[in-house]
Amino acid sequence: MDQSYGIKIDQTVLDYMKGKGKDVLTLDIILTGGGCCPTMEISEIEFRKPEKPDLYDVYEQNDTTLYISKEAKVITPTLHFILKNNFIGSTVEAEGLSVKKQYSEW
């Protein structure tokens, strides 16, 4: 597997995952919208092994197994996982991706 980018997982993400008893991180690219609404891509991060692992590149880092969707377009030298705090809790986000904000299927 040819990895043309590095991966960095912030310590806050590792601590968050450890607190939840998780050691798997899956980054997926989801197509949303359609019909009468514009279509866009979003990134989604889950703490479980994907159902179809052959659609992902698999990496090991910091005692964590990472599944990165082969659809992910990494546009920076490092794919960076960060913890974002918001009013309902915390979420893990990936920085360094290119996702299509809006496009038409017609």
Side-chain angles (χ1 to χ4, degrees):
M1 157 177 24
D2 177 33
Q3 182 178 348
S4 59
Y5 55 88
I7 295 174
K8 179 180 180 189
I9 308 171
D10 281 357
Q11 187 61 46
T12 53
V13 173
L14 296 170
D15 294 342
Y16 180 77
M17 291 177 65
K18 184 177 180 181
K20 293 193 170 291
K22 304 294 183 181
D23 61 358
V24 173
L25 189 146
T26 298
L27 170 66
D28 218 339
I29 304 298
I30 306 293
L31 193 62
T32 186
C36 64
C37 302
T39 304
M40 66 180 78
E41 292 175 330
I42 59 171
S43 63
E44 181 177 83
I45 296 175
E46 297 181 299
F47 301 115
R48 62 179 177 81
K49 184 177 176 180
E51 290 181 19
K52 298 180 181 179
D54 55 312
L55 300 177
Y56 298 80
D57 292 324
V58 183
Y59 306 101
E60 295 285 334
Q61 185 172 350
N62 301 92
D63 298 322
T64 301
T65 304
L66 297 121
Y67 292 89
I68 309 295
S69 170
K70 292 180 180 179
E71 299 293 320
K73 297 170 195 79
V74 180
I75 59 169
T76 59
T78 303
L79 180 59
H80 186 190
F81 292 93
I82 61 170
L83 189 68
K84 290 275 188 151
N85 295 312
N86 53 45
F87 65 94
I88 59 170
S90 300
T91 58
V92 176
E93 295 181 9
E95 293 181 330
L97 292 172
S98 173
V99 290
K100 294 179 182 174
K101 299 293 184 194
Q102 182 175 353
Y103 62 93
S104 174
E105 294 177 336
W106 303 334

